[in-house]
Amino acid sequence: MQTLFFDFDGTLVDSETFHAENWSAYLATYGVTLTADDFITYYAGVTWPKIAKHFIEHYQLNVDIVTITTEMEALTEAKIRDQGIPALPGVDAILNAFAGKVPMAVVTGAPRDYVEGVLKQHGWFDLFEHVFSGYEVTNNKPAPDVYLHACQIMKVAPHQTVAVEDSRTGLQAAKNANICCLLINPHPSLIGIDADHKFTSMVAATPLLDSLFKAKLVLSAV
């Protein structure tokens, strides 16, 4: 394996709970009840325009997609400034251990500005060679476009890469691109999902990542 791709939300940072609580509070202003747990179960990894479209149509909300996504982005930015988004356990250690030894990129379905801002907050931005956003290709995840674009720019074949994801949407995007995928998510709804490898945390996945990239780690130490 030559290159390591990381999803962002729910993979590097504990943002699924963060976003779930924000969406739940926002939709309540329109009289829609959505628990944070239901958001994580059904909408984790789904792009915000698709989420907005679903609730507008399902609840016949008198608002458009652009308004919802714009207001949610403003709400999110304010919350990030006030409290930040915590890193998930084991992420900081693996990123710093692999940085400069294994080419790494963030391959996300989220907007670039948001992702880069949080990466900088954690001091991770310079550890990655690129940040690839699904908003900048024709079709976002679960389509393979953003992963195939990442492979092209980083000059690596899909079968030489590993993707680390946390959602059904992200897993499907990686599989559609013929990329080996590690699914890291403790949520019960994903127990039976078909992934190349499944773990409940980055800490648990670290030994496998070490073994997959052993050759590069050894060469970098010589």
Side-chain angles (χ1 to χ4, degrees):
M1 292 298 180
Q2 299 296 314
T3 303
L4 183 55
F5 294 143
F6 288 96
D7 174 51
F8 184 71
D9 285 313
T11 299
L12 298 183
V13 294
D14 189 15
S15 53
E16 300 297 10
T17 300
F18 175 87
H19 291 310
E21 292 174 348
N22 290 341
W23 271 97
S24 178
Y26 178 80
L27 289 170
T29 65
Y30 287 96
V32 176
T33 299
L34 175 70
T35 67
D37 191 60
D38 281 347
F39 181 90
I40 292 171
T41 300
Y42 300 110
Y43 304 105
V46 180
T47 62
W48 287 9
K50 286 184 179 180
I51 296 174
K53 183 175 185 292
H54 167 78
F55 282 99
I56 289 170
E57 293 178 351
H58 190 75
Y59 291 94
Q60 297 182 326
L61 302 181
N62 187 26
V63 63
D64 57 62
I65 292 172
V66 172
T67 297
I68 288 182
T69 55
T70 300
E71 290 179 351
M72 276 301 302
E73 286 170 2
L75 178 88
T76 300
E77 289 175 7
K79 285 286 187 70
I80 290 172
R81 286 195 301 270
D82 290 343
Q83 62 192 57
I85 304 177
L88 283 161
V91 169
D92 189 72
I94 197 75
L95 294 183
N96 281 285
F98 279 33
K101 303 168 186 175
V102 175
M104 299 189 298
V106 174
V107 182
T108 176
R112 174 187 295 274
D113 289 348
Y114 152 68
V115 172
E116 291 186 348
V118 179
L119 289 175
K120 290 173 182 177
Q121 281 187 332
H122 284 282
W124 297 338
F125 182 75
D126 292 332
L127 304 183
F128 293 99
E129 295 192 10
H130 294 279
V131 173
F132 299 101
S133 169
Y135 279 71
E136 298 167 0
V137 293
T138 302
N139 299 296
N140 207 332
K141 298 178 182 182
D145 300 29
V146 67
Y147 273 117
L148 295 176
H149 176 62
C151 288
Q152 181 181 28
I153 296 299
M154 296 192 74
K155 296 181 173 57
V156 63
H159 71 270
Q160 294 177 307
T161 69
V162 174
V164 182
E165 286 277 358
D166 76 299
S167 69
R168 294 176 185 274
T169 300
L171 171 64
Q172 193 60 54
K175 292 180 73 172
N176 287 341
N178 294 315
I179 290 174
C180 174
C181 186
L182 275 65
L183 184 73
I184 300 180
N185 195 321
H187 199 276
S189 66
L190 296 175
I191 288 175
I193 197 168
D194 182 22
D196 294 299
H197 305 277
K198 290 182 286 187
F199 298 94
T200 58
S201 70
M202 190 71 73
V203 174
T206 295
L208 177 61
L209 288 171
D210 285 339
S211 67
L212 289 173
F213 291 94
K214 182 178 179 180
K216 277 196 167 292
L217 293 171
V218 169
L219 283 173
S220 68
V222 174

